[in-house]
Amino acid sequence: MEEKILVLNFGGQYDQLIARRAREMHVYAEIKPCHEVTPEEIRELGYQGIIFTGGPNSVSQPESPRCAPEILELGIPILGICYGAQLMACLAGGEVGGAGTRSEYGKTALRVEECPLFQKVPRESVCWMSHTDFIQKLPAGFSVLASTENCPCAALGDEERRLYGVQFHPEVTHTACGQQILHNFLFEICGCRGLWNMEDVLSQTIEEYREKLAGKKVLLALSGGVDSSVAALLLQRAVGEDLTCVFVDHGLLRKGEGDLIEETFRGRFGLNLVRVNAEERFLKELSGVTEPEKKRKLIGEEFVRVFEEEAKRLGNIQVLAQGTIYPDVIESGKGSAAVIKSHHNVGGLPDVMSFESIAEPLRQLFKDEVREMGTRLGLPKELVWRQPFPGPGLAVRVIGEVTKERLELLREADAIFRQELEAAGQEAKASQYFAVLTSLKSVGVVGDARAYGYTVALRAVTTDDFMTAEWTRLPYEVLEKASSRITNEVPGITRVVYDVTSKPPATVEWE
Ligand code: XMP
């Protein structure tokens, strides 16, 4: 990697956002927890610049996260953000204390001085603040570069040593000139040139894996999700026929999805694809089970069993490939190649399976970068932009016991809802939308007769990260059409409701 910066995380939640902001400007950014790297390693790894993230602690507490003060002496430019700025001030000999009633939270008017960090930033603009401590005494060699009404040192810097700190958060969009400030740090202060781009990443990764995997047989569990799909196409470019993909069809997919996966990967891309039709096995396992976590566990275990059997049957496989992406690596906290992509997906693949090595060609990429790579590899739009779909599939959308009949009802209702929402051009509004077959039966009228059928719940949510979500305000007309079609076209469903609960308090899925 010719050019890269380090995002040193001090426990804040914005580490990934900061790295993505840098990558959007074509500067490759790596994240490491603050206690995991030494100054020597940082020097050896050849970073062009370092960003210290914010964090929830107070630097005045002895147990709060820190880094070696020598990092400031490496001659590498540093930008400290919030806690990171306070820590930098402390390490350089300044003082930080409680801001008391001068704590700031939210959009705040900022006034900046002329300096390399604030080039092209107006003297007055709006920034996003979130702090209860502030810098009370500047370290020697630093000057104040910005202030707000309540924060006399909203930015500080030592231009000679190229050390800068900002009390506010330039990485969030509420800071009007945040991207310009990060740009100034990366390009004007660190001297980056913005060389990182997806075309090169793609060709370099293919080349890297072509060499690494030469002469080896590779096995990949393909789910049809964007990560495993992109990993499959990428590895196919690297090793061609030596790649075999196993698609365990657990019979819990949405209408037509299994066939789409098969048609796309075997039909269109000519991949060595083994589709294991394991619906019966999964249904047998799930028979009589109503508890959601038990369903998840059983499905995870059965998935592993089927996959293992298939690997054994194929034999002579040296490498297990996985669609692990950068957030999986960071969140696992291990940062090692042994990280298994388990999410709450499929319980992870077993350690007992003996492979020589694991290949994770996407482990440096964020989701949006994986999507970009997928597009470049020719992956169809509906797979590139596929909504998140739980590993246990429709089993967690059939409330209570999962049976073939109930799955069929749900599949039909779900397909109608998705069709209607898309026909009305509403898909950009919702991040995820689906139907749930509740276990509630109620009375209805079909023709002249009374019927006793299931209630289906429709769910659509709007969110950036799925940690919190708003229920989507769909037009009544869409809901009306979906409801009327479902009750007319799916015998056995007599009532349709729309879920108007956000997350929290509700989760996205019903189980
Ligand atoms: P919740 O329901 O937890 O969902 O608000 C947040 C996101 O995670 C997805 N989800 C799952 N994904 N296995 C998965 O791979 C699961 O068991 C699972 N449960 C929920 C959900 O669809 C949403 O996108």
Side-chain angles (χ1 to χ4, degrees):
M1 198 73 60
E2 275 189 56
E3 183 176 274
K4 62 179 174 186
I5 64 146
L6 172 65
V7 175
L8 204 56
N9 186 11
F10 289 91
Q13 338 164 8
Y14 291 144
D15 55 338
Q16 295 190 31
L17 186 56
I18 297 168
R20 279 172 48 206
R21 293 270 182 262
R23 290 181 182 199
E24 278 161 23
M25 292 184 269
H26 302 286
V27 174
Y28 183 71
E30 255 170 31
I31 300 170
K32 291 193 189 290
C34 61
H35 53 269
E36 252 185 30
V37 275
T38 63
E40 294 70 43
E41 283 164 343
I42 292 179
R43 197 204 307 272
E44 273 166 29
L45 289 166
Y47 296 107
Q48 227 102 349
I50 305 172
I51 297 181
F52 287 2
T53 73
N57 299 79
S58 164
V59 284
S60 46
Q61 286 161 351
E63 68 279 8
S64 55
R66 278 165 193 273
C67 60
E70 292 78 26
I71 290 182
L72 303 192
E73 311 304 329
L74 292 171
I76 303 174
I78 303 178
L79 174 66
I81 296 176
C82 194
Y83 177 90
Q86 295 170 3
L87 181 71
M88 174 189 280
C90 273
L91 295 177
E95 277 173 30
V96 170
T101 54
R102 301 179 81 183
S103 298
E104 293 169 305
Y105 185 78
K107 286 187 181 172
T108 309
L110 178 78
R111 189 180 169 83
V112 303
E113 303 299 325
E114 250 174 58
C115 68
L117 189 63
F118 296 135
Q119 275 184 46
K120 298 191 192 148
V121 174
R123 247 175 103 61
E124 311 255 335
S125 65
V126 168
C127 72
W128 181 262
M129 283 289 194
S130 173
H131 66 112
T132 49
D133 281 358
F134 63 10
I135 296 163
Q136 286 174 335
K137 184 170 160 258
L138 277 182
F142 282 77
S143 50
V144 171
L145 299 177
S147 56
T148 68
E149 194 187 338
N150 282 309
C151 186
C153 177
L156 74 166
D158 176 339
E159 282 187 32
E160 207 167 299
R161 292 204 285 165
R162 298 186 296 171
L163 301 178
Y164 293 88
V166 289
Q167 183 57 69
F168 54 91
H169 288 271
E171 70 276 29
V172 304
T173 47
H174 308 296
T175 295
C177 299
Q179 194 72 350
Q180 179 68 48
I181 294 168
L182 292 173
H183 185 279
N184 291 341
F185 176 67
L186 297 173
F187 289 81
E188 305 302 329
I189 297 168
C190 301
C192 293
R193 287 176 294 160
L195 302 174
W196 191 73
N197 66 74
M198 202 44 77
E199 198 52 49
D200 290 350
V201 174
L202 181 58
S203 54
Q204 284 160 9
T205 313
I206 292 171
E207 207 39 53
E208 179 189 337
Y209 281 87
R210 188 170 288 154
E211 278 175 30
K212 249 192 213 167
L213 303 178
K216 303 204 164 139
K217 299 276 182 209
V218 184
L219 185 67
L220 174 91
L222 181 76
S223 68
V226 61
D227 304 343
S228 64
S229 299
V230 174
L233 295 187
L234 190 106
L235 288 172
Q236 185 192 29
R237 294 269 189 103
V239 304
E241 283 292 299
D242 286 332
L243 172 71
T244 302
C245 294
V246 171
F247 162 42
V248 176
D249 185 353
H250 51 24
L252 304 167
L253 292 172
R254 291 172 292 194
K255 188 173 179 182
E257 226 168 13
D259 293 342
L260 173 71
I261 293 169
E262 188 172 346
E263 277 159 29
T264 305
F265 292 97
R266 186 184 299 137
R268 179 153 165 193
F269 289 101
L271 228 82
N272 270 332
L273 179 80
V274 181
R275 176 175 179 176
V276 189
N277 290 314
E279 182 188 26
E280 269 181 33
R281 284 180 66 160
F282 280 85
L283 284 180
K284 200 163 152 225
E285 284 297 319
L286 289 169
S287 151
V289 180
T290 54
E291 210 250 305
E293 287 317 301
K294 184 135 190 242
K295 288 185 192 174
R296 281 192 169 80
K297 189 160 169 280
L298 288 173
I299 292 168
E301 287 168 357
E302 191 59 17
F303 177 89
V304 167
R305 264 196 294 273
V306 176
F307 188 75
E308 243 177 332
E309 282 171 23
E310 221 35 53
K312 214 176 273 170
R313 199 183 57 77
L314 289 162
N316 187 33
I317 305 268
Q318 290 85 40
V319 182
L320 176 69
Q322 300 195 127
T324 314
I325 67 170
Y326 200 46
D328 302 327
V329 175
I330 305 164
E331 280 148 27
S332 79
K334 292 186 207 146
S336 84
V339 177
I340 299 292
K341 184 180 175 96
S342 61
H343 186 41
H344 32 264
N345 235 2
V346 285
L349 297 174
D351 296 339
V352 292
M353 290 173 71
S354 49
F355 294 100
E356 265 174 31
S357 58
I358 290 180
E360 296 172 309
L362 309 178
R363 58 181 282 117
Q364 289 177 333
L365 302 182
F366 285 112
K367 194 77 163 192
D368 41 357
E369 295 163 350
V370 172
R371 290 208 166 102
E372 191 185 334
M373 192 175 260
T375 305
R376 283 172 192 273
L377 286 162
L379 190 69
K381 249 193 186 153
E382 62 266 39
L383 289 175
V384 169
W385 291 103
R386 191 181 187 245
Q387 300 177 16
F389 184 66
L394 300 184
V396 290
R397 293 181 181 168
V398 168
I399 308 304
E401 190 184 1
V402 183
T403 62
K404 200 171 162 90
E405 296 67 40
R406 295 172 126 212
L407 280 169
E408 265 323 300
L409 289 181
L410 174 58
R411 254 188 214 111
E412 293 303 320
D414 180 68
I416 292 172
F417 177 44
R418 289 187 294 123
Q419 254 171 28
E420 288 305 326
L421 192 149
E422 285 158 22
Q426 295 289 315
E427 66 268 46
K429 220 165 156 183
S431 320
Q432 202 175 358
Y433 44 93
F434 53 88
V436 174
L437 185 76
T438 76
S439 51
L440 180 75
K441 283 192 157 183
S442 67
V443 177
V445 189
V446 179
D448 288 335
R450 284 165 81 80
Y452 188 55
Y454 282 109
T455 305
V456 152
L458 307 180
R459 179 85 163 134
V461 293
T462 307
T463 173
D464 283 332
D465 57 8
F466 297 90
M467 307 286 280
T468 60
E470 282 275 310
W471 63 273
T472 308
R473 273 60 175 173
L474 289 179
Y476 282 158
E477 294 71 31
V478 175
L479 296 171
E480 183 182 16
K481 186 102 187 277
S483 161
S484 136
R485 278 194 59 198
I486 291 171
T487 45
N488 278 310
E489 294 174 31
V490 192
I493 296 177
T494 46
R495 199 172 290 265
V496 176
V497 296
Y498 187 54
D499 184 349
V500 291
T501 334
S502 291
K503 172 184 178 176
T507 48
V508 174
E509 301 291 343
W510 274 41
E511 281 198 337

